Amino acid sequence: MVTWKMKCSTCCLLAYRNDHNETRKLNCSERMTWKYSPDSDPALRIYPVNLGDEGNYTCEVVSSAGNFLFFSSLTVIVPPTVTLTCDMSRVAVCRASAGKPAADISWIPASNHSTEEEVHHLNGTVTRVSYIGWVNSTLPAVTCLVTHPATNQTLFLDLSYTSPSLPYLLIGGSASVAAVTGVTLCFIFRCR
Protein backbone atom coordinates (compact mmCIF):
# COMPACT_ATOMS: atom_id res chain seq x y z
CA MET A 1 0.00 0.00 0.00
CA VAL A 2 1.22 3.52 -0.86
CA THR A 3 -0.27 6.68 0.68
CA TRP A 4 0.58 10.32 -0.07
CA LYS A 5 -0.53 12.98 2.44
CA MET A 6 -0.07 16.69 2.65
CA LYS A 7 0.67 17.85 6.22
CA CYS A 8 -2.71 19.16 7.38
CA SER A 9 -5.89 17.59 8.67
CA THR A 10 -8.13 18.53 5.72
CA CYS A 11 -5.54 18.22 2.93
CA CYS A 12 -5.19 15.72 0.13
CA LEU A 13 -4.81 12.00 0.76
CA LEU A 14 -3.97 9.80 -2.24
CA ALA A 15 -3.73 6.06 -1.62
CA TYR A 16 -3.19 2.86 -3.58
CA ARG A 17 -3.69 -0.67 -2.30
CA ASN A 18 -1.90 -3.20 -4.51
CA ASP A 19 -3.57 -6.39 -3.22
CA HIS A 20 -7.03 -5.03 -4.21
CA ASN A 21 -5.79 -2.90 -7.16
CA GLU A 22 -7.69 -0.02 -5.55
CA THR A 23 -6.99 3.72 -5.44
CA ARG A 24 -8.56 6.37 -3.16
CA LYS A 25 -8.56 10.15 -3.31
CA LEU A 26 -9.73 12.26 -0.39
CA ASN A 27 -9.80 16.09 -0.48
CA CYS A 28 -7.54 16.14 -3.56
CA SER A 29 -7.97 18.48 -6.49
CA GLU A 30 -7.85 17.16 -10.04
CA ARG A 31 -4.30 18.55 -10.23
CA MET A 32 -3.01 15.91 -7.78
CA THR A 33 -2.73 12.46 -9.29
CA TRP A 34 -0.35 9.56 -9.74
CA LYS A 35 2.41 10.23 -12.25
CA TYR A 36 1.84 6.89 -13.95
CA SER A 37 0.21 3.76 -12.62
CA PRO A 38 0.72 3.57 -8.82
CA ASP A 39 1.53 -0.16 -8.96
CA SER A 40 4.61 0.49 -11.13
CA ASP A 41 5.61 4.00 -9.98
CA PRO A 42 3.95 5.57 -6.90
CA ALA A 43 5.14 9.11 -7.69
CA LEU A 44 2.81 12.02 -6.84
CA ARG A 45 2.12 14.42 -9.72
CA ILE A 46 0.92 18.02 -9.13
CA TYR A 47 0.00 19.77 -12.37
CA PRO A 48 -0.10 22.71 -12.61
CA VAL A 49 1.46 23.74 -9.32
CA ASN A 50 0.13 26.79 -7.45
CA LEU A 51 1.05 28.62 -4.24
CA GLY A 52 -1.47 26.65 -2.18
CA ASP A 53 0.45 23.42 -2.91
CA GLU A 54 3.43 24.62 -0.90
CA GLY A 55 4.08 22.54 2.19
CA ASN A 56 5.26 19.21 3.54
CA TYR A 57 4.27 15.88 2.00
CA THR A 58 4.54 12.38 3.43
CA CYS A 59 4.68 9.14 1.49
CA GLU A 60 3.99 5.96 3.45
CA VAL A 61 4.75 2.58 1.92
CA VAL A 62 3.47 -0.58 3.63
CA SER A 63 4.78 -3.88 2.27
CA SER A 64 5.88 -7.29 3.38
CA ALA A 65 9.33 -5.79 3.97
CA GLY A 66 7.90 -3.33 6.53
CA ASN A 67 6.54 0.20 6.86
CA PHE A 68 8.50 3.09 5.36
CA LEU A 69 7.95 6.86 5.64
CA PHE A 70 9.40 9.41 3.21
CA PHE A 71 9.13 13.17 3.61
CA SER A 72 9.23 15.84 0.91
CA SER A 73 8.90 19.59 1.18
CA LEU A 74 7.60 21.72 -1.69
CA THR A 75 8.56 25.39 -1.94
CA VAL A 76 6.91 27.33 -4.75
CA ILE A 77 9.00 30.06 -6.38
CA VAL A 78 7.21 32.86 -8.27
CA PRO A 79 9.21 35.09 -10.64
CA PRO A 80 8.39 38.79 -10.34
CA THR A 81 7.07 40.97 -13.15
CA VAL A 82 9.81 43.54 -13.73
CA THR A 83 9.46 47.10 -15.06
CA LEU A 84 11.70 50.16 -15.27
CA THR A 85 10.09 53.58 -15.76
CA CYS A 86 10.63 57.18 -14.75
CA ASP A 87 8.40 59.94 -13.42
CA MET A 88 8.10 63.67 -14.00
CA SER A 89 10.53 64.49 -11.18
CA ARG A 90 13.33 62.58 -12.97
CA VAL A 91 13.25 59.56 -10.70
CA ALA A 92 13.85 56.10 -12.18
CA VAL A 93 11.54 53.44 -10.74
CA CYS A 94 12.51 49.76 -10.90
CA ARG A 95 9.66 47.49 -9.80
CA ALA A 96 9.77 43.71 -9.21
CA SER A 97 6.08 42.85 -8.66
CA ALA A 98 4.57 39.82 -6.93
CA GLY A 99 7.66 37.62 -6.60
CA LYS A 100 8.26 34.85 -4.10
CA PRO A 101 10.69 35.28 -2.47
CA ALA A 102 11.22 39.04 -2.85
CA ALA A 103 13.63 40.04 -5.62
CA ASP A 104 16.81 42.01 -4.99
CA ILE A 105 17.21 45.27 -6.93
CA SER A 106 20.50 47.06 -7.59
CA TRP A 107 21.60 49.88 -9.89
CA ILE A 108 24.45 50.55 -12.33
CA PRO A 109 26.10 52.85 -11.64
CA ALA A 110 25.79 51.97 -7.97
CA SER A 111 24.21 54.65 -5.83
CA ASN A 112 23.91 55.38 -2.14
CA HIS A 113 20.94 57.62 -2.95
CA SER A 114 18.44 54.96 -4.00
CA THR A 115 15.45 54.19 -1.79
CA GLU A 116 13.43 51.02 -1.59
CA GLU A 117 10.00 49.92 -0.41
CA GLU A 118 8.33 46.57 -0.10
CA VAL A 119 4.70 45.42 -0.14
CA HIS A 120 3.79 41.97 1.22
CA HIS A 121 0.71 40.46 -0.46
CA LEU A 122 -1.75 38.08 1.22
CA ASN A 123 -0.80 35.20 -1.12
CA GLY A 124 2.82 35.25 0.12
CA THR A 125 4.32 37.18 -2.79
CA VAL A 126 6.25 40.45 -2.39
CA THR A 127 6.55 43.57 -4.55
CA ARG A 128 9.82 45.44 -4.17
CA VAL A 129 10.32 48.93 -5.66
CA SER A 130 13.59 50.87 -5.87
CA TYR A 131 13.86 54.57 -6.74
CA ILE A 132 16.89 56.52 -7.94
CA GLY A 133 16.94 60.21 -8.88
CA TRP A 134 19.18 61.89 -11.42
CA VAL A 135 18.09 65.55 -11.30
CA ASN A 136 21.61 67.04 -11.33
CA SER A 137 23.29 64.02 -12.88
CA THR A 138 25.28 63.90 -16.09
CA LEU A 139 24.68 60.16 -16.48
CA PRO A 140 23.52 59.18 -19.96
CA ALA A 141 21.76 56.03 -18.73
CA VAL A 142 20.91 53.94 -15.71
CA THR A 143 20.61 50.15 -15.46
CA CYS A 144 18.40 48.23 -13.03
CA LEU A 145 19.50 44.70 -12.05
CA VAL A 146 16.82 42.41 -10.65
CA THR A 147 18.04 39.20 -9.04
CA HIS A 148 15.65 36.39 -8.09
CA PRO A 149 15.96 32.57 -7.79
CA ALA A 150 13.65 32.20 -10.82
CA THR A 151 14.96 35.00 -13.02
CA ASN A 152 17.72 37.56 -13.40
CA GLN A 153 16.86 40.60 -15.48
CA THR A 154 18.77 43.68 -16.57
CA LEU A 155 16.77 46.73 -17.66
CA PHE A 156 18.27 49.84 -19.26
CA LEU A 157 16.88 53.39 -19.20
CA ASP A 158 18.23 56.14 -21.46
CA LEU A 159 18.27 59.31 -19.34
CA SER A 160 18.76 61.66 -22.29
CA TYR A 161 15.02 61.60 -23.00
CA THR A 162 12.86 64.12 -21.18
CA SER A 163 9.51 62.41 -21.63
CA PRO A 164 7.88 61.13 -18.39
CA SER A 165 7.12 57.82 -20.10
CA LEU A 166 10.66 56.86 -21.00
CA PRO A 167 11.00 53.53 -22.77
CA TYR A 168 13.12 50.78 -21.33
CA LEU A 169 14.93 47.98 -23.04
CA LEU A 170 15.31 44.51 -21.60
CA ILE A 171 18.88 43.53 -22.37
CA GLY A 172 19.08 40.49 -20.13
CA GLY A 173 17.23 37.22 -20.09
CA SER A 174 15.68 35.04 -17.49
CA ALA A 175 17.25 31.91 -16.09
CA SER A 176 15.50 28.59 -16.45
CA VAL A 177 14.32 27.81 -12.93
CA ALA A 178 11.08 26.34 -11.62
CA ALA A 179 8.51 29.03 -11.04
CA VAL A 180 4.77 29.49 -11.08
CA THR A 181 3.63 32.75 -12.67
CA GLY A 182 3.47 32.59 -16.45
CA VAL A 183 4.80 29.06 -16.53
CA THR A 184 2.86 25.85 -16.17
CA LEU A 185 4.72 23.46 -13.94
CA CYS A 186 4.44 19.93 -12.83
CA PHE A 187 6.14 18.63 -9.70
CA ILE A 188 6.83 14.93 -9.33
CA PHE A 189 7.64 13.45 -5.94
CA ARG A 190 9.07 9.96 -5.69
CA CYS A 191 9.06 7.76 -2.64
CA ARG A 192 11.58 4.97 -2.65
Side-chain angles (χ1 to χ4, degrees):
M1 185 164 90
V2 178
T3 305
W4 276 100
K5 292 184 238 182
M6 189 173 175
K7 290 276 188 156
C8 81
S9 58
T10 60
C11 291
C12 174
L13 177 120
L14 191 63
Y16 171 71
R17 187 167 170 171
N18 191 4
D19 59 345
H20 291 110
N21 194 23
E22 172 182 280
T23 59
R24 285 188 60 202
K25 240 180 156 171
L26 181 66
N27 297 326
C28 296
S29 77
E30 294 302 314
R31 298 174 306 100
M32 295 183 177
T33 61
W34 300 103
K35 180 181 177 189
Y36 298 113
S37 174
D39 60 340
S40 62
D41 185 357
L44 173 65
R45 179 178 190 249
I46 305 173
Y47 179 82
V49 173
N50 66 40
L51 283 169
D53 298 326
E54 190 168 76
N56 297 313
Y57 292 79
T58 303
C59 177
E60 182 178 4
V61 178
V62 177
S63 70
S64 57
N67 295 1
F68 305 93
L69 279 176
F70 302 92
F71 302 96
S72 293
S73 180
L74 173 62
T75 300
V76 178
I77 296 172
V78 181
T81 301
V82 179
T83 58
L84 176 58
T85 58
C86 77
D87 63 18
M88 294 292 283
S89 59
R90 296 182 57 95
V91 173
V93 180
C94 187
R95 180 182 310 269
S97 301
K100 183 178 177 294
D104 290 320
I105 299 175
S106 57
W107 295 94
I108 296 176
S111 172
N112 293 334
H113 302 292
S114 65
T115 58
E116 228 173 63
E117 59 185 43
E118 209 173 76
V119 176
H120 293 262
H121 306 287
L122 294 176
N123 66 357
T125 61
V126 179
T127 295
R128 187 169 279 169
V129 185
S130 183
Y131 305 90
I132 187 170
W134 76 91
V135 172
N136 295 319
S137 173
T138 58
L139 293 173
V142 68
T143 301
C144 168
L145 303 172
V146 177
T147 308
H148 187 270
T151 186
N152 293 323
Q153 294 187 29
T154 304
L155 288 81
F156 173 84
L157 185 64
D158 186 344
L159 301 178
S160 62
Y161 288 102
T162 56
S163 167
S165 59
L166 292 176
Y168 65 87
L169 172 66
L170 174 65
I171 59 174
S174 58
S176 176
V177 177
V180 173
T181 302
V183 179
T184 303
L185 291 180
C186 174
F187 279 91
I188 306 295
F189 292 104
R190 296 202 184 280
C191 62
R192 293 194 181 175

